[in-house]
Amino acid sequence: MSRQKSAGYFGWPIVFGLAWLACALVALDLTQGEDGIAAVWPPSGIFVAALLLFGPRRRRMTTLYVAAASMISNVWAGSGVLDSAGYTVANLAEGYLVFYLMGGNKASLTPLSRPLNTLRFAATAIVAGCFSGLMAGLLSGNMTYPFLSSWTSTVSLGMLVVTPVILFIAQDPQDQRALLSMRSLWTMMVVAILSVAAFGQADMPLLFLPVLGIAVATAIMGLSGAATAVTIIATIGSILTAFNAGPVTLFFSTTEEQVLFFQLYLVALLGSSMPLAYLLSEREHALARTAESAALLEAAERAAKVGHWRFQPGDNSARWSREALRICGFDESESPGFEQWLALIHPDDRDRVRAFVVEATSQALPFAFETRMVRGPGDIVHIDCRGQAEADSHGKVTALFGTMMDVTERAETMAQLEIARAKAEREAAEVRMLAETDALTGMPNRRCILANLAEAMDAHEFQGEPLTVAMVDIDHFKAINDEFGHEVGDTVLKQIAAILMDELRSDDSVGRMGGEEFLFVFPKRRADELDPRCDRIRERLAAEEWEHPMTVTLSIGVAELQPGLDERDLLRAADKALYEAKRAGRNRHTVHAA
């Protein structure tokens, strides 16, 4: 075990044991009751506080020190060893009875700062005082009424006065700080002065002054101040009354009467001051919790960029959180009204926002909208507003409450995503067009026209409609390239492609298969319907004027899809028809015979 841990186990129990001994010696020296029983017995409160605060090991150590202190103080006061042992057993038993009645090992989880716990402790202290008095009488052989009543009352008061002060200070850091402040010092000095004024003279009945001191201590320091003030009053009152200096000795001749009056006076102080102290304590804790919640809410709003507001249509007033003011660009000292806020809304959005507010106000409906707010030149903020109407018992809207979120980053991100999406779609379309378009002629390439043919084949299979293809080839194109060059050849290809594209009708499609070869796809057309089309294409080409003296003609092979044929069979049939047109002299079209 470390030195620090060992000091923790033994240090505080020794402190409580010495405090018990000192208070016992003083109380016995100032005794006002018979057989050495003091008017108030503070040691009982000290021992009970230790039991309620400490763990098992410290509790055992404190019990040993208190037992030794009890024997020493009682023997010093003149009691016999057996009587002192009986008093000691009674002192220990009363403390442990309170400890177990307050929950045993869970007693430390039962703070006296709660009213119900204090009432429970008060009842427990009275029961323990009665039990202790009865045990002390039996063990010492003194069963007289004055002894039993004096012991019971002084022990019970000792617990009621001293224990709460120790527990308040030990269990509540806020009370610790309050009691160690200069304000606490001056307050307790005032309480002490008032107590001396009340009990230090007998000329004037000033017993109300301690009540005033408790009120001051309660108002300034709360629960711990009230308990400490009662302890100060009990201490000063006991000492001065012991020296026959106060009004108590003036009005009561016997010691028993003086003790009884002083005890009843302390009970009255406790009963009158503690409820007010509890109320003030609860108020302070509620204010502290409210302030903490407000601080946490403000921190959360600042982190989330969310503010809240409340608008009252009746007087056009509005309340704004700090974050809401920051989002709007207002100074924290400002209190703008609804119209002032509405003036910040972007002109294009203002009527829409006003309509939302009017509808929510007139029909008590929840609302949600996004808008833009212009805080200054070039400073546009996107906000998301959500809220609901507050109505009275008659259904009339009295206020609108809502939140305001700065979604500028989200809006900018969405705008950037939209730009990126549009760019991606445009680039994808360009890539798709490049992938499906012949670079020279600008018409569909082989891949694209074959895809069109495959779609037409599927439509034929499901709908049973006719399908015809035409293979187009430029006659003697190699000779044109050889004689006039590839640049002229490219020009011929482009012009023919333009004529073919211009001859498209309805669902027709055409594409360059490669080199000087093109493919027409004619969905819903029969081969015998295409004769005029083929003739017109050749006639338009014959009417073309070329830069060089040359003749450009076309050979066309037409094939209609027959039952049992697939795509390859259809293209092969068109190729055969094209070959037949070439063999027949070119510059003509031939239909493949089924």
Side-chain angles (χ1 to χ4, degrees):
M1 181 185 297
S2 66
R3 182 176 301 177
Q4 184 177 2
K5 193 172 182 180
S6 177
Y9 280 131
F10 292 97
W12 281 110
I14 291 177
V15 171
F16 274 83
L18 292 176
W20 198 102
L21 177 61
C23 291
L25 293 176
V26 173
L28 290 174
D29 187 60
L30 300 174
T31 181
Q32 294 293 319
E34 292 183 354
D35 297 321
I37 303 300
V40 178
W41 188 245
S44 298
I46 295 174
F47 183 49
V48 169
L51 295 180
L52 296 178
L53 286 175
F54 292 159
R57 183 161 185 174
R58 285 184 177 180
R59 199 180 303 131
R60 290 192 295 269
M61 299 301 299
T62 304
T63 301
L64 292 177
Y65 294 139
V66 167
S70 178
M71 289 296 297
I72 293 172
S73 59
N74 281 289
V75 171
W76 175 84
S79 300
V81 175
L82 293 178
D83 289 342
S84 297
Y87 298 153
T88 299
V89 172
N91 291 144
L92 299 178
E94 71 196 21
Y96 274 95
L97 180 60
V98 173
F99 171 72
Y100 286 112
L101 290 179
M102 289 299 292
N105 290 324
K106 297 181 179 180
S108 59
L109 303 177
T110 310
L112 294 188
S113 57
R114 298 178 182 176
L116 291 180
N117 292 341
T118 301
L119 292 176
R120 177 183 176 184
F121 173 76
T124 299
I126 294 173
V127 170
C130 295
F131 174 77
S132 176
L134 181 61
M135 179 174 289
L138 290 174
L139 293 176
S140 64
N142 188 352
M143 294 296 293
T144 61
Y145 174 75
F147 175 82
L148 295 178
S149 62
S150 179
W151 182 287
T152 299
S153 60
T154 54
V155 166
S156 299
L157 275 174
M159 299 181 201
L160 292 174
V161 172
V162 177
T163 301
V165 176
I166 299 175
L167 293 183
F168 290 156
I169 297 174
Q171 293 176 341
D172 194 338
Q174 185 176 354
D175 285 338
Q176 294 176 13
R177 292 191 297 269
L179 287 173
L180 294 176
S181 64
M182 289 300 298
R183 184 175 62 174
S184 169
L185 176 62
W186 286 108
T187 302
M188 293 307 136
M189 286 181 61
V190 170
V191 173
I193 292 172
L194 294 176
S195 300
V196 171
F199 292 101
Q201 52 82 37
D203 297 331
M204 299 179 64
L206 300 178
L207 293 179
F208 65 88
L209 291 179
V211 179
L212 178 61
I214 292 178
V216 172
T218 302
I220 295 178
M221 301 169 55
L223 197 58
S224 60
T228 305
V230 171
T231 302
I232 292 174
I233 294 169
T235 302
I236 294 177
S238 297
I239 294 174
L240 294 179
T241 302
F243 288 101
N244 296 320
V248 178
T249 57
L250 182 64
F251 296 101
F252 301 98
S253 57
T254 65
T255 301
E256 291 80 1
E257 292 175 345
Q258 295 173 7
V259 169
L260 179 61
F261 173 81
F262 188 67
Q263 290 173 341
L264 292 175
Y265 180 77
L266 292 178
V267 170
L269 289 180
L270 287 170
S272 61
S273 62
M274 295 311 290
L276 176 61
Y278 278 116
L279 291 176
L280 289 176
S281 177
E282 284 299 315
R283 174 179 174 274
E284 291 298 324
H285 282 89
L287 290 175
R289 289 193 296 269
T290 301
E292 181 181 3
S293 298
L296 292 175
L297 175 61
E298 184 176 342
E301 287 188 348
R302 186 166 57 251
K305 295 184 178 180
V306 177
H308 66 272
W309 51 270
R310 188 172 184 270
F311 167 58
Q312 293 179 281
D315 55 3
N316 196 36
S317 63
R319 293 191 326 198
W320 311 81
S321 68
R322 290 185 178 179
E323 186 62 18
L325 291 172
R326 188 202 65 77
I327 292 174
C328 296
F330 293 119
D331 189 83
E332 292 185 4
S333 60
E334 295 184 70
S335 182
F338 173 73
E339 292 296 333
Q340 190 175 352
W341 172 78
L342 190 63
L344 296 178
I345 302 300
H346 194 282
D348 296 342
D349 301 345
R350 195 171 299 157
D351 291 340
R352 179 173 59 88
V353 172
R354 188 187 294 274
F356 272 111
V357 175
V358 170
E359 183 181 25
T361 305
S362 59
Q363 302 183 26
L365 295 175
F367 57 88
F369 59 85
E370 286 193 17
T371 185
R372 294 164 294 173
M373 192 163 52
V374 183
R375 298 191 299 193
D379 185 9
I380 297 179
V381 179
H382 295 257
I383 60 173
D384 183 324
C385 285
R386 299 173 184 270
Q388 60 185 14
E390 299 177 7
D392 57 18
S393 58
H394 302 291
K396 181 180 178 181
V397 175
T398 58
L400 296 181
F401 177 82
T403 60
M404 177 190 303
M405 177 184 293
D406 184 348
V407 294
T408 304
E409 293 183 2
R410 186 184 73 184
E412 292 176 350
T413 301
M414 294 299 294
Q416 292 173 359
L417 289 176
E418 182 63 24
I419 294 172
R421 183 191 64 79
K423 180 181 179 182
E425 289 181 352
R426 185 173 63 254
E427 290 177 349
E430 292 175 356
V431 171
R432 186 169 58 252
M433 184 183 68
L434 291 174
E436 297 177 352
T437 302
D438 179 63
L440 176 63
T441 63
M443 69 189 317
N445 59 13
R446 178 187 181 90
R447 172 180 161 184
C448 182
I449 192 61
L450 290 179
N452 292 344
L453 175 60
E455 291 180 4
M457 293 285 292
D458 293 337
H460 167 79
E461 182 178 351
F462 285 105
Q463 300 175 7
E465 296 177 340
L467 171 63
T468 302
V469 298
M471 195 72 73
V472 180
D473 186 79
I474 303 175
D475 297 329
H476 303 297
F477 183 70
K478 183 177 184 300
I480 295 174
N481 277 335
D482 292 343
E483 184 176 353
F484 301 104
H486 288 282
E487 185 176 348
V488 173
D490 290 345
T491 301
V492 171
L493 286 171
K494 292 178 183 179
Q495 188 62 31
I496 293 175
I499 294 173
L500 297 180
M501 293 286 288
D502 191 52
E503 287 296 324
L504 292 176
R505 301 290 184 271
S506 184
D507 297 331
D508 301 347
S509 59
V510 66
R512 184 185 179 191
M513 292 291 286
E516 68 274 19
E517 195 172 56
F518 303 87
L519 176 66
F520 261 111
V521 178
F522 299 105
K524 304 178 184 179
R525 297 285 186 273
R526 294 192 178 278
D528 54 9
E529 300 176 18
L530 300 177
D531 290 344
R533 301 274 293 276
C534 293
D535 291 339
R536 186 165 56 251
I537 291 172
R538 288 187 293 103
E539 290 172 357
R540 289 187 59 178
L541 181 59
E544 285 289 327
E545 294 183 358
W546 306 100
E547 182 180 355
H548 299 278
M550 60 183 179
T551 300
V552 181
T553 60
L554 295 175
S555 295
I556 303 174
V558 181
E560 182 177 343
L561 182 63
Q562 302 297 326
L565 299 183
D566 59 13
E567 181 180 343
R568 292 183 179 180
D569 294 331
L570 182 59
L571 292 175
R572 191 177 301 115
D575 268 336
K576 288 182 179 180
L578 176 63
Y579 177 74
E580 291 175 2
K582 294 278 189 182
R583 191 173 58 179
R586 293 182 172 84
N587 192 22
R588 68 190 65 229
H589 71 276
T590 302
V591 177
H592 181 264

